[in-house]
């Protein structure tokens, strides 16, 4: 079950990458067009000073933003498979312990944006919110499904660089269910 979950998460990251390459895809609540932020190389492709982020730095940024916003990490959340540890980060909040999950989610996303993450898309339906942010080669999907009884808030980041794209594609092919 977990492998299937990560295959889906990795595929979602790839879909987000492809969807982000079009002109003007998604709503940007900041009122500015961010279609150009999905650059194809060059220094500083979303990062400060052009430095490439690694999984440890992304984990720290997400952890700091989420905990500062009032979340604690749910240790039972999905774990990244060992072969994807350098290419993916998952941080699941314990939404039931947050005083106001909706506000904490908004605050965490705001903190990430203040730390150099650029919001590319925003989607809201039936109380669920999904925001896609980018920094360097990393794409982060921040999702808030806390409107119902489940209280699921997740931050899943995928390195969309060529090395990780190859590792994720190989992992997806290896774990593809046979029909």
């Amino acid at each position: 079950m977990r492998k299937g979950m990560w295959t889906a998460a990795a595929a979602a990251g790839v879909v987000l990458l492809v969807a982000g390459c079009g002109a003007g895809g998604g709503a940007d609540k900041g009122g500015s067009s961010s279609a150009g932020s999905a650059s194809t190389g060059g220094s500083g492709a979303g990062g400060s000073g052009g430095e490439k982020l690694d999984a440890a730095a992304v984990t720290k940024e997400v952890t700091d933003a989420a905990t500062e916003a009032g979340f604690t990490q749910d240790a039972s959340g999905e774990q990244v498979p060992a072969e994807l540890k350098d290419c993916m980060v998952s941080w699941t909040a314990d939404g039931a312990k947050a005083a106001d999950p909706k506000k904490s989610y908004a605050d965490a996303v705001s903190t990430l944006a203040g730390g150099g993450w650029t919001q590319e898309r925003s989607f809201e339906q039936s109380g669920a919110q999904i925001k896609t942010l980018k920094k360097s080669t990393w794409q982060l999907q921040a999702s808030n499904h806390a409107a119902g009884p489940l209280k699921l808030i997740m931050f899943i980041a995928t390195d969309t660089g060529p090395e990780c794209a190859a590792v994720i594609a190989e992992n997806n092919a290896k774990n593809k269910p046979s029909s």
Side-chain angles (χ1 to χ4, degrees):
M1 177 69 177
R2 288 190 184 268
K3 279 189 178 182
M5 178 73 134
W6 278 109
T7 301
V14 172
V15 168
L16 290 171
L17 170 65
V18 172
C21 291
D28 182 1
K29 297 216 178 205
S32 64
S33 171
S34 60
S37 66
S39 78
T40 55
S43 67
S48 58
E51 71 233 20
K52 180 165 174 13
L53 293 174
D54 63 10
V58 172
T59 299
K60 180 175 178 4
E61 288 187 27
V62 170
T63 300
D64 289 353
T67 55
E68 181 180 307
F71 287 126
T72 56
Q73 188 168 16
D74 182 350
S76 68
E78 288 290 328
Q79 300 300 309
V80 175
E83 61 270 18
L84 298 178
K85 289 251 187 229
D86 292 336
C87 299
M88 292 185 79
V89 169
S90 175
W91 202 96
T92 303
D94 188 340
K97 290 184 180 175
D100 183 351
K102 186 173 183 173
K103 181 181 180 324
S104 292
Y105 171 79
D107 289 350
V109 170
S110 178
T111 298
L112 288 165
W117 289 86
T118 303
Q119 184 173 315
E120 294 192 321
R121 283 176 300 288
S122 180
F123 175 78
E124 191 165 343
Q125 182 176 358
S126 303
Q129 297 173 295
I130 301 170
K131 296 187 184 294
T132 303
L133 301 107
K134 182 158 179 73
K135 183 174 184 181
S136 183
T137 59
W138 286 83
Q139 191 152 28
L140 172 68
Q141 183 173 353
S143 58
N144 174 13
H145 305 278
L150 188 56
K151 308 285 184 251
L152 179 63
I153 296 103
M154 293 181 70
F155 300 88
I156 298 176
T158 307
D159 186 338
T160 60
E163 300 87 14
C164 281
V167 170
I168 291 169
E170 179 181 320
N171 187 282
N172 285 343
K174 180 174 62 174
N175 293 309
K176 184 177 182 180
S178 56
S179 37

